[in-house]
Amino acid sequence: MSSITLKETPTKLKEMQEHYRPYLIEKKIPYSLFFAKKDGVTITAYQSGKVLFQGDHPETEADIWQKEQSVMQEPPSGLPADFSQKSIIGSDEVGNGSYFGPLVVCAVYADKNNLKSLQKLGVKDSKLLKDSQIKLIAKKIETMVPYQLLTVRPAKYNQVQPTYNAVRMKVALHNQAIQLLLKKIAPTKPEAILIDQFTKEANYRKYLAKEAVPITESLYFITKGEQHHLAVAAASIISRAKFLDELEIASQELGMRIPSGAGFQSDQVAAKILKKGGLPLLSQYAKLHFKNTQKAQNLIK
Ligand code: MG
């Protein structure tokens, strides 16, 4: 007997429960939502979103849902037909909303011949993956496709931020990552470039015009870009893995766990760092223009 575990959203769990309605079995299993048995496979769904498929061939059931997870959504608007099957550069960034840690941007070139292998690796929306999976998958992606990663650590970010607002900084970084990647893959040219949208297209192009080498050709923008092409999903995973690594390094250097995000926990950790080395030390690890800086200063008053 073998087993397969999937992680699903609450909406998906409801859909699964509906799907297995004829096969549901009354059985009290702690923290479970439903239990079903179909064609020799038992399906246990938990409140946590985990769904366990067990049996001699659990894939006969699990595949139904796995396939659905990996099938890219058809473009709603603005993207050419069959966009998800094209050879494109996709780019995404991580760390923009986190007080601690760098701003990381990555561009990935996914040739259409690489799409199947990327899919097999489990490349999908990085928000659906655990940190440990992200690190593993990122390493594999890096050996499989050309990519360009750019990391702006807080020290540099704090220098640049007063003159480049966060949006302009991201535009500059996406553009630079794409430009460097285009050089790496030349003479190959992508069929398109897709940016996981973080600002209105007009805004992007406004800031882009200020760049020395603006890349404007075959440029597309869409929110949730990772659902529209695996290149963006891969870029998101590589960026996140790098961001997590940087947080770990910061944690080691400071001898305390450095959180991601921008909540109260970040204020508390920032207060500790301020006590240790004041703003000069904090500026090495945190994006100082966030409100967290003021909040941390208030905490130690
Ligand atoms: Mg994004």
Side-chain angles (χ1 to χ4, degrees):
M1 197 167 91
S2 54
S3 68
I4 296 172
T5 309
L6 299 181
K7 179 104 171 111
E8 301 288 0
T9 61
T11 329
K12 196 70 185 187
L13 286 176
K14 276 207 187 103
E15 197 186 314
M16 288 175 117
Q17 191 166 7
E18 202 48 50
H19 176 89
Y20 289 118
R21 189 165 294 285
Y23 311 101
L24 293 182
I25 293 169
E26 271 294 335
K27 193 173 169 187
K28 283 224 164 69
I29 300 169
Y31 307 109
S32 73
L33 284 175
F34 66 83
F35 178 75
K37 192 163 184 170
K38 191 188 167 198
D39 303 336
V41 182
T42 63
I43 302 113
T44 319
Y46 292 92
Q47 289 159 8
S48 64
K50 270 196 187 144
V51 185
L52 183 64
F53 298 83
Q54 285 176 302
D56 287 329
H57 296 283
E59 71 280 3
T60 54
E61 283 311 305
D63 271 359
I64 301 172
W65 308 99
Q66 261 176 329
K67 275 202 193 98
E68 198 169 306
Q69 274 187 351
S70 58
V71 167
M72 295 275 114
Q73 286 180 9
E74 274 308 301
S77 66
L79 298 181
D82 289 331
F83 192 84
S84 67
Q85 300 308 312
K86 291 190 186 297
S87 302
I88 76 153
I89 286 182
S91 73
D92 194 13
E93 84 282 334
V94 169
N96 177 56
S98 179
Y99 181 55
F100 288 107
L103 175 60
V104 183
V105 172
C106 183
V108 164
Y109 175 62
D111 184 277
K112 54 176 154 242
N113 299 319
N114 276 330
L115 296 175
K116 271 236 163 67
S117 332
L118 284 172
Q119 202 172 63
K120 274 193 195 138
L121 275 187
V123 173
K124 55 188 166 201
D125 189 349
S126 68
K127 287 166 207 88
L128 298 173
L129 296 169
K130 283 183 279 184
D131 288 356
S132 54
Q133 290 176 305
I134 283 177
K135 287 184 189 181
L136 269 175
I137 297 175
K139 283 213 178 74
K140 292 182 186 162
I141 299 172
E142 288 169 7
T143 65
M144 199 177 268
V145 290
Y147 69 98
Q148 179 67 52
L149 185 65
L150 297 174
T151 306
V152 183
R153 297 203 173 83
K156 175 82 180 172
Y157 182 100
N158 293 325
Q159 272 176 19
V160 176
Q161 187 273 328
T163 44
Y164 269 55
N165 65 51
V167 176
R168 185 173 174 195
M169 208 188 302
K170 280 191 280 184
V171 172
L173 289 166
H174 277 270
N175 184 62
Q176 200 188 347
I178 292 164
Q179 185 201 329
L180 292 170
L181 184 56
L182 282 169
K183 269 192 198 152
K184 273 187 195 172
I185 65 170
T188 302
K189 274 190 167 187
E191 291 177 85
I193 298 169
L194 180 63
I195 295 174
D196 188 39
Q197 191 163 16
F198 53 88
T199 185
K200 285 198 188 108
E201 180 172 348
N203 221 17
Y204 186 98
R205 293 193 186 270
K206 181 184 87 183
Y207 288 123
L208 189 62
K210 297 177 196 271
E211 290 300 306
V213 188
I215 309 293
T216 56
E217 218 184 288
S218 338
L219 204 53
Y220 294 90
F221 304 85
I222 198 152
T223 54
K224 299 197 175 130
E226 67 280 349
Q227 293 177 5
H228 300 286
H229 201 286
L230 286 171
V232 177
S236 164
I237 290 171
I238 294 178
S239 308
R240 183 153 293 280
K242 176 67 178 171
F243 176 79
L244 292 170
D245 277 350
E246 291 281 324
L247 276 191
E248 262 170 39
I249 292 168
S251 303
Q252 277 167 15
E253 286 175 358
L254 290 163
M256 55 183 104
R257 206 186 74 78
I258 303 302
S260 82
F264 180 59
Q265 214 195 344
S266 299
D267 306 342
Q268 288 174 308
V269 171
K272 274 193 207 163
I273 298 172
L274 280 175
K275 272 189 193 160
K276 212 170 164 179
L279 269 180
L281 184 64
L282 186 59
S283 71
Q284 301 297 306
Y285 297 98
K287 304 181 186 82
L288 292 184
H289 70 107
F290 278 46
K291 290 196 182 81
N292 303 78
T293 305
Q294 188 61 51
K295 288 180 185 163
Q297 283 166 331
N298 291 341
L299 281 177
I300 53 170
K301 260 180 195 161

